[in-house]
Amino acid sequence: MKSQLFTTIKTLLASVVLAAIFFSCKKTEVTTISPVETQYSEATYKMEITGKWKAPEFTVPPSVHFTYFTGMVHNKETYFWKEGTLASPGVEYIAEDGNPIQMFREIDSITALKKATALFYIPPPASVGTSSGNIYCNSNFSYVSCESMIAPSPDWFVGLSSFNLYGNNKWIQDTTINLYVYDAGTEEGDVFGYGNPETNPRQPVIKLTAAKATVLANGNTSLAAIASIRFIKQ
């Protein structure tokens, strides 16, 4: 009798333990959601660069011009220039005299680190004209950066910093970005001219204001976009 009672108790205890384990598992059960995977994709874009350097928005000196737009296609792990950071030597040389040679070297180094895939060099538009060129991107390298000097000036430039053409497995089809004037932080002067004193110590890249570029502002209280870039997917 005792043996039978002992067996019955063991059976009941086993049932209770199994039930506890079952409900415990139910409580801690977690539903996982698989992340959306980026699908590999490629795209070619036409870049249309339009100059907007005209009065009354700006003062327009006789020798006004942009320089070639030097740029690269890259990933999110690097950048060409960035507001709030010190300009690289390549950015400085373009901003001060339009010379792209050092920037070519910097882009080659970034490409060697597998953080960029292509360098581009697009002819400058006239002050109120348009020029164009094509670039190739893929979903791993979908960021575009570039720079062009506005001349004559101390160290002022226009450009695009890490603009992403791909997101949520979709390419941008057609978009236009306004370009504003930046100060490279490497040379002094509020003048239309070259060969100004160096800024010491060097300052971070900043977006120019009318107060800091009165010679360009033409009496306006703010600076308008001096150029634009349109990306058209081909």
Side-chain angles (χ1 to χ4, degrees), residues 26 158 212:
K26 292 292 284 184
V158 295
K212 290 182 177 295

Side-chain angles (χ1 to χ4, degrees), residues 101-173:
I101 301 302
Q102 176 60 32
M103 182 51 68
F104 289 166
R105 296 190 186 104
E106 291 179 15
I107 293 175
D108 284 344
S109 296
I110 294 171
T111 302
L113 294 173
K114 302 187 184 304
K115 294 182 179 181
T117 57
L119 179 154
F120 59 83
Y121 194 55
I122 298 177
S127 58
V128 288
T130 298
S131 67
S132 65
N134 289 341
I135 60 169
Y136 161 82
C137 308
N138 64 54
S139 49
N140 295 325
F141 297 89
S142 57
Y143 290 78
V144 180
S145 296
C146 62
E147 179 189 9
S148 167
M149 178 190 187
I150 68 164
S153 74
D155 61 343
W156 300 343
F157 70 93
V158 295
L160 199 58
S161 178
S162 299
F163 183 74
N164 189 13
L165 290 164
Y166 186 78
N168 297 320
N169 294 320
K170 293 181 180 178
W171 290 101
I172 290 174
Q173 296 297 310

Side-chain angles (χ1 to χ4, degrees), residues 163-216:
F163 183 74
N164 189 13
L165 290 164
Y166 186 78
N168 297 320
N169 294 320
K170 293 181 180 178
W171 290 101
I172 290 174
Q173 296 297 310
D174 189 336
T175 190
T176 300
I177 302 99
N178 284 325
L179 305 183
Y180 296 87
V181 183
Y182 286 83
D183 186 323
T186 60
E187 201 168 275
E188 298 295 313
D190 180 4
V191 295
F192 288 124
Y194 310 96
N196 299 284
E198 290 187 4
T199 299
N200 189 16
R202 291 157 58 96
Q203 297 298 305
V205 173
I206 61 168
K207 186 177 179 180
L208 267 183
T209 63
K212 290 182 177 295
T214 58
V215 69
L216 179 65

